[in-house]
C-alpha cells in the first residue's frame, strides 16, 4: 500500500476500464490536462498504443508516469498485467473510493471520458491508498477457490430442488440418508427412482450396492434396506406417481453429479498448484498455520489467505475485519444516532462466505459431544442474550478474524485458551516488560 501524495508532482494516467475497451486520460505534472480522454481497445494493438503514449509523456517530462485503474473484477487484470510486465508504475484503487468522488462537480455528468479524468484527478490530488501487488499464482488460487465456492452454492440450490421433488414423489426418502446427495443415496435414486422400483428389486442387489458405496458393514446396509422398503410402501399411497416428475428427478441427479465432478477437478488443480513449487513458502506456511484453528480445513485456509492477499496491508485486526465487510455501518447526523446498523458487507464476499462456514462449525459439537472450539462456543452462548443467531455468528466471525490476524502476525499456531488463562498470561507478560 502506497500513500498517494508522492504523485502530486508527477504525470498521472487515469484509466476507466470496461469489458472490451478502456478510456484513458493523462494529467501533466502541474495538474493540467496533458491529453483529453481517448479510447484503447483491449487488444495487443490497443495495449501497445497506450504503452507508447505513456513513454512519450515520460520522455517529455523526464520522469516516471503513474497509471491508475479501478479493481473491477476481471476486466482490469489483462491491462494491469501488461503494464506491470512492461515495467510501468501501475496501481489499482478500490472502486468505492472513485464512486464516491467521481461526480464532485456541480453539473451531473457521467460518462467514460469524465470517469477516466476523474480517476486521474483523484489519484493525483487526494491522499488515498492504492495497491501495486499482482501475484499470478496467488490470483490463480483465489480464482480456483472462488469458482469452487460458486459451484458449491449452486449445487446446494439443486440439492434443495431434489429434496422438494422427493417430498412429492417419494415422501419418506428424506429420512433415510443423512445426506440425500451422498454417493449411496444418489446411486440408489438413479437405479431405483420410483417406490415401485424399490419394492420390485432384489433385496440382495440393493444391499450389495449399499455395501459397495457406504463401506459401513452388513448391519448398516440391512438397516437402510428396511428403511427404504418401508418408505417405498408408504410412498405408493402418499406419493404422486408422475413419470414426468421422475424424469425431472433424474435430470437433477445428473446435474448434481456433474457439479461434483467439476468440484473434484478444481480441488485437484488447487492441490497441484500447491505442490508445484510456484507458491511462495511463506504462503504455504500460513496455510498450515490457519489449519491449526479448529473448523478450518485446507480449502478454507487457502480461500481466506488468497482473499487476504498481502498480509502486510493490514496493520491492525480492525482493518482485516473491515476488509471482510464485518465492520458495522454507521448512520449518524447531528444528535441522531442510528441504532439499527448492519455489517457493511463491503469486503471480500467469498472470504466472508468461507469465514461464515468456519463460524458455524466453531459453535457446534462433534459426534462425541465435545465442542469443536470450546472457547468460541462459550463466547457464542454468553453473547447471545436474546439476540438473533446471525448476530451471534457475526460476533464469532470477528473473533475468528482476530485469531487469524494474530496467527499470521506472530507466525504461531493457534492454541485454545480460555479467557481466564489468557488474561493471566497477559498480566504476566506486562509484569515482565515492566521488570
Amino acid at each position: 500500500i502506497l500513500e498517494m501524495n508522492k504523485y502530486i508532482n508527477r504525470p498521472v494516467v487515469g484509466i476507466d476500464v470496461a469489458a472490451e475497451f478502456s478510456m484513458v486520460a493523462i494529467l501533466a505534472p502541474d495538474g493540467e490536462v496533458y491529453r483529453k480522454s481517448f479510447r484503447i481497445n483491449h487488444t495487443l494493438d490497443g495495449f501497445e498504443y497506450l504503452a507508447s503514449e505513456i513513454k512519450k509523456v515520460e520522455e517529455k517530462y523526464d520522469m516516471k508516469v503513474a497509471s491508475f485503474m479501478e479493481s473491477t473484477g476481471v476486466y482490469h487484470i489483462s491491462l494491469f498485467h501488461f503494464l506491470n510486465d512492461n515495467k510501468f508504475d501501475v496501481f489499482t484503487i478500490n472502486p468505492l473510493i472513485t464512486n464516491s468522488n467521481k461526480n464532485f462537480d456541480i453539473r451531473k455528468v457521467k460518462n467514460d471520458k469524465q470517469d477516466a479524468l476523474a480517476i486521474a484527478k483523484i489519484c493525483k490530488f487526494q491522499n488515498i491508498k492504492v495497491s501495486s501487488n499482482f501475484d499470478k499464482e496467488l490470483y490463480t488460487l483465489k480464482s480456483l477457490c472462488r469458482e469452487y465456492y460458486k459451484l458449491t452454492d449452486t449445487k446446494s440450490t439443486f440439492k434443495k430442488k431434489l429434496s422438494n421433488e422427493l417430498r412429492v414423489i417419494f415422501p419418506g426418502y428424506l429420512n433415510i440418508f443423512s445426506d440425500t446427495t451422498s454417493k449411496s443415496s444418489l446411486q440408489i435414486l438413479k437405479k431405483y427412482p420410483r417406490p415401485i422400483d424399490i419394492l420390485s428389486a432384489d433385496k440382495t442387489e440393493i444391499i450389495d450396492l449399499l455395501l459397495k458405496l457406504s463401506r459401513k458393514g452388513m448391519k448398516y446396509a440391512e438397516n437402510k434396506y428396511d428403511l427404504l422398503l418401508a418408505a417405498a410402501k408408504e410412498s405408493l399411497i402418499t406419493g404422486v406417481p408422475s413419470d414426468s416428475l421422475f424424469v425431472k428427478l433424474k435430470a437433477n441427479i445428473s446435474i448434481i453429479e456433474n457439479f461434483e465432478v467439476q468440484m473434484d477437478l478444481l480441488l485437484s488443480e488447487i492441490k497441484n498448484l500447491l505442490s508445484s513449487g510456484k507458491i511462495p513458502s511463506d504462503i504455504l506456511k500460513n496455510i498450515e498455520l490457519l489449519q491449526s484453528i479448529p473448523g478450518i480445513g485446507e480449502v478454507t485456509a487457502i480461500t481466506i489467505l488468497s482473499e487476504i492477499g498481502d498480509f502486510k496491508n493490514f496493520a491492525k485486526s480492525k482493518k482485516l475485519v473491515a476488509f471482510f465487510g464485518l465492520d458495522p455501518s454507521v448512520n449518524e447526523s447531528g444528535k441522531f444516532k442510528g441504532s439499527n446498523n448492519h455489517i457493511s458487507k463491503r469486503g471480500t464476499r467469498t472470504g466472508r462466505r468461507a469465514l461464515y462456514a468456519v463460524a458455524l462449525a466453531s459453535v457446534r459439537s462433534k459426534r462425541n459431544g465435545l465442542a469443536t472450539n470450546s472457547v468460541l462456543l462459550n463466547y457464542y452462548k454468553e453473547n447471545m442474550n436474546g439476540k438473533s443467531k446471525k448476530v451471534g455468528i457475526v460476533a464469532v466471525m470477528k473473533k475468528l478474524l482476530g485469531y487469524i490476524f494474530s496467527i499470521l502476525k506472530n507466525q504461531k499456531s493457534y492454541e485454545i485458551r480460555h479467557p481466564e488463562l489468557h488474561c493471566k498470561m497477559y498480566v504476566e507478560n506486562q509484569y515482565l516488560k515492566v521488570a
Side-chain angles (χ1 to χ4, degrees):
I1 298 294
L2 301 171
E3 295 295 333
M4 285 306 304
N5 55 4
K6 66 186 290 185
Y7 300 105
I8 189 99
N9 296 316
R10 283 174 56 178
V12 164
V13 173
I15 305 172
D16 185 60
V17 182
E20 303 296 334
F21 65 91
S22 292
M23 297 302 298
V24 182
I26 304 176
L27 297 180
D30 61 1
E32 294 297 318
V33 176
Y34 172 83
R35 180 173 176 183
K36 291 182 180 179
S37 298
F38 60 95
R39 170 175 166 157
I40 62 160
N41 292 323
H42 287 185
T43 61
L44 180 58
D45 288 342
F47 288 178
E48 288 181 341
Y49 177 72
L50 175 59
S52 67
E53 291 300 302
I54 293 174
K55 285 178 181 177
K56 288 178 184 178
V57 179
E58 290 181 338
E59 290 171 0
K60 178 174 181 178
Y61 295 105
D62 193 24
M63 62 177 71
K64 291 284 286 182
V65 169
S67 301
F68 303 92
M69 64 184 74
E70 294 175 326
S71 178
T72 54
V74 297
Y75 297 146
H76 74 286
I77 290 175
S78 57
L79 179 56
F80 182 92
H81 184 61
F82 175 83
L83 294 175
N84 194 47
D85 268 7
N86 283 276
K87 311 303 179 185
F88 291 109
D89 287 349
V90 57
F91 309 92
T92 56
I93 56 178
N94 194 317
L96 290 172
I97 295 172
T98 53
N99 286 340
S100 61
N101 283 273
K102 276 179 181 176
N103 199 25
F104 48 76
D105 290 328
I106 294 175
R107 288 185 64 219
K108 187 175 181 180
V109 180
K110 174 71 175 72
N111 57 48
D112 294 335
K113 291 182 179 181
Q114 288 296 321
D115 287 347
L117 185 59
I119 290 171
K121 288 181 177 180
I122 291 167
C123 295
K124 184 174 180 63
F125 297 114
Q126 295 190 28
N127 190 28
I128 63 173
K129 292 182 178 180
V130 297
S131 175
S132 60
N133 296 321
F134 182 78
D135 188 310
K136 183 176 70 175
E137 307 305 335
L138 200 59
Y139 168 76
T140 304
L141 267 181
K142 181 166 71 173
S143 297
L144 291 172
C145 289
R146 284 186 173 184
E147 188 62 26
Y148 177 81
Y149 275 97
K150 284 180 183 177
L151 289 178
T152 301
D153 291 339
T154 310
K155 177 188 167 185
S156 296
T157 301
F158 283 94
K159 284 176 68 174
K160 289 178 182 177
K161 287 184 178 181
L162 180 66
S163 296
N164 290 336
E165 287 159 7
L166 287 170
R167 290 181 195 280
V168 175
I169 61 179
F170 206 150
Y173 189 88
L174 293 173
N175 300 321
I176 298 171
F177 296 92
S178 57
D179 181 8
T180 315
T181 57
S182 65
K183 287 185 178 179
S184 301
S185 176
L186 289 181
Q187 289 304 314
I188 290 291
L189 284 173
K190 281 180 69 176
K191 195 165 184 180
Y192 313 104
R194 300 174 300 175
I196 190 64
D197 295 329
I198 295 287
L199 294 172
S200 59
D202 183 69
K203 176 180 178 180
T204 307
E205 285 184 6
I206 297 178
I207 288 178
D208 287 344
L209 185 61
L210 289 167
L211 283 171
K212 180 182 177 182
L213 295 170
S214 65
R215 300 178 184 177
K216 290 186 179 180
M218 180 61 73
K219 187 176 179 180
Y220 169 86
E222 288 181 343
N223 179 52
K224 290 299 178 189
Y225 173 77
D226 291 339
L227 291 173
L228 280 168
L229 203 62
K233 288 178 181 177
E234 188 174 315
S235 295
L236 283 178
I237 302 170
T238 59
V240 178
S242 169
D243 290 337
S244 297
L245 289 178
F246 288 117
V247 171
K248 187 182 175 185
L249 179 74
K250 284 188 173 183
N252 269 336
I253 292 172
S254 297
I255 292 170
I256 291 169
E257 286 183 328
N258 186 49
F259 276 123
E260 289 177 346
V261 170
Q262 301 307 317
M263 288 163 65
D264 287 341
L265 284 173
L266 288 173
L267 288 176
S268 177
E269 189 57 35
I270 288 170
K271 290 179 179 179
N272 289 339
L273 190 55
L274 288 176
S275 60
S276 66
K278 296 177 181 179
I279 305 298
S281 58
D282 60 324
I283 297 294
L284 296 175
K285 183 182 179 183
N286 286 340
I287 291 172
E288 290 183 8
L289 287 173
L290 287 192
Q291 288 183 81
S292 65
I293 300 177
I296 294 186
E298 186 178 41
V299 176
T300 307
I302 295 167
T303 302
I304 291 172
L305 272 178
S306 62
E307 292 294 327
I308 290 174
D310 188 358
F311 179 69
K312 295 176 183 177
N313 293 341
F314 305 94
K316 299 179 181 178
S317 60
K318 286 184 178 180
K319 293 187 176 182
L320 193 60
V321 169
F323 179 75
F324 275 77
L326 296 176
D327 55 321
S329 58
V330 179
N331 184 20
E332 295 180 1
S333 180
K335 294 182 179 181
F336 171 78
K337 290 186 178 181
S339 58
N340 190 24
N341 296 328
H342 303 279
I343 57 174
S344 67
K345 290 189 178 181
R346 283 192 165 190
T348 161
R349 182 180 179 182
T350 305
R352 194 164 55 250
R353 157 77 170 77
L355 199 65
Y356 178 75
V358 179
L360 287 177
S362 299
V363 298
R364 289 175 182 157
S365 297
K366 301 175 185 177
R367 290 183 179 179
N368 57 11
L370 296 175
T372 302
N373 190 319
S374 57
V375 174
L376 286 179
L377 180 57
N378 291 336
Y379 176 78
Y380 175 72
K381 290 179 178 178
E382 290 170 1
N383 284 275
M384 286 299 291
N385 294 327
K387 298 175 183 176
S388 68
K389 290 183 178 180
K390 284 186 178 180
V391 172
I393 291 297
V394 169
V396 173
M397 290 168 72
K398 289 182 180 179
K399 203 77 170 174
L400 281 166
L401 282 177
Y403 295 160
I404 290 169
F405 181 85
S406 180
I407 286 170
L408 296 180
K409 182 181 179 181
N410 300 318
Q411 290 293 290
K412 292 182 179 179
S413 297
Y414 174 75
E415 297 178 16
I416 294 181
R417 293 178 188 164
H418 289 274
E420 297 80 9
L421 176 60
H422 192 77
C423 290
K424 183 181 178 182
M425 291 177 66
Y426 175 79
V427 171
E428 289 175 351
N429 287 334
Q430 292 298 111
Y431 177 78
L432 290 173
K433 286 180 181 179
V434 172

